């Protein structure tokens, strides 16, 4: 019996939200497998030094694209130029920050439109740009970074819960429509040590009149592994799903949460 390579040499990966957190960790994990990288985020001051670091970490080549998923016409034009200049994208890490916290009952229509625009509408447009190249190459990996709220809604993250669930349904529907060789999957991060999680902890601490460490201790107490996850752990799972070794994994939402979810 032969083993299946996890090398990504010769594969071009577009990593959205690459400037920090799970997106950045995914970029490092893909670089270690030899992928060519295009990093997409809004903050050039973070992307520029990161590109140099990733080149040293093993990436075949690295470039960055400054773009905002809220500005979809501009995003489309920049991605078209990327494809023209550098050829098809084989791996797309679909990752962007969640909307502000708050109960769904208080969410405005504009808040819903903004969240769905940044996630669902942007994803649909990117998909339609990248899919022809993936199909022609016979290799495509689409990996969306969502949340465990897809399975169990998280209190006070109403708009985020709704948006992540819509993305999971989008992915599952596409898993039945995409051609052979082009897979789509989601990962569902649990509590992971990112800027976003720190911000959420600070907001909860302020509302409750407690210390941030108290909030974090409560979270840890609900995780069988007894700790907050590291972005690198998510990055490694993403890199596996992007590899040839995951060619028969399709249409799944994979929790990476230290066992916190109570549902199957």
């Amino acid at each position: 019996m032969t083993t299946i390579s996890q090398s990504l040499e010769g594969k071009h990966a577009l990593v959205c939200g690459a400037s920090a957190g799970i997106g950045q960790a995914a970029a490092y994990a893909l670089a270690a497998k030899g992928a060519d990288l295009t990093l997409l985020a809004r903050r050039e001051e973070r992307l520029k030094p990161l590109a140099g670091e990733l080149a040293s970490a093993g990436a075949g080549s690295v470039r960055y694209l400054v773009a905002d998923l809220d500005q979809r016409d501009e995003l489309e034009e920049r991605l078209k130029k990327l494809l023209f200049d550098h050829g098809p994208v084989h791996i797309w890490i679909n990752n962007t920050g969640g909307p502000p916290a708050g109960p769904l009952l208080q969410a405005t229509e504009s808040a819903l439109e903004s969240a769905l625009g940044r996630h669902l509408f942007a994803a649909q447009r990117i998909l339609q740009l990248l899919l022809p190249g993936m199909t022609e190459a016979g290799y495509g990996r689409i990996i969306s970074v969502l949340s465990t709220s897809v399975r169990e809604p998280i209190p006070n993250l109403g708009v985020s819960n709704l948006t992540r669930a819509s993305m999971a349904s989008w992915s599952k529907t596409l898993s039945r429509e995409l051609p052979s060789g082009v897979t789509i999957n989601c990962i569902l991060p649990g509590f992971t040590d990112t800027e976003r999680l720190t911000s959420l902890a600070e907001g909860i601490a302020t509302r409750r009149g407690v210390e941030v460490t108290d909030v974090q201790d409560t979270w840890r107490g609900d995780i069988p592994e007894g700790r907050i996850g590291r972005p690198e752990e998510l990055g490694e799972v993403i890199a596996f799903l992007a590899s040839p070794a995951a060619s028969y994994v399709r249409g799944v939402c994979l929790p990476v949460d230290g066992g916190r979810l109570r549902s199957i």
Side-chain angles (χ1 to χ4, degrees), residues 7 9 12 19 27 52 61 68 81 99 173 216 218-219 225 256:
S7 171
E9 291 184 12
H12 179 191
S19 61
S61 63
D68 188 334
K81 186 176 188 307
T173 301
Q216 294 168 334
T218 299
W219 287 343
E225 278 296 315
V256 187

Side-chain angles (χ1 to χ4, degrees), residues 137-160:
Y139 190 99
R141 299 287 186 270
I142 302 167
I143 303 157
S144 293
V145 181
L146 304 181
S147 166
T148 55
S149 66
V150 167
R151 300 274 182 84
E152 297 174 5
I154 298 172
N156 206 51
L157 288 180
V159 176
S160 180

Side-chain angles (χ1 to χ4, degrees), residues 99-116 149 153-166 207:
L104 188 57
L105 276 173
Q106 297 176 9
T108 63
E109 185 175 316
S110 63
L112 297 177
E113 288 177 344
S114 176
L116 290 171
S149 66
I154 298 172
N156 206 51
L157 288 180
V159 176
S160 180
N161 294 339
L162 180 151
T163 304
R164 303 301 194 184
S166 73
R207 288 194 305 275

Side-chain angles (χ1 to χ4, degrees), residues 13-19 23 27 37-41 46-48 50-52 54 62-66:
L14 172 66
V15 184
C16 297
S19 61
L37 298 178
T38 295
L39 314 174
L40 187 150
R46 290 197 176 192
L47 290 176
K48 190 172 183 179
L50 177 61
L54 289 166
V62 189
R63 64 197 62 82
Y64 64 84
L65 191 63
V66 178

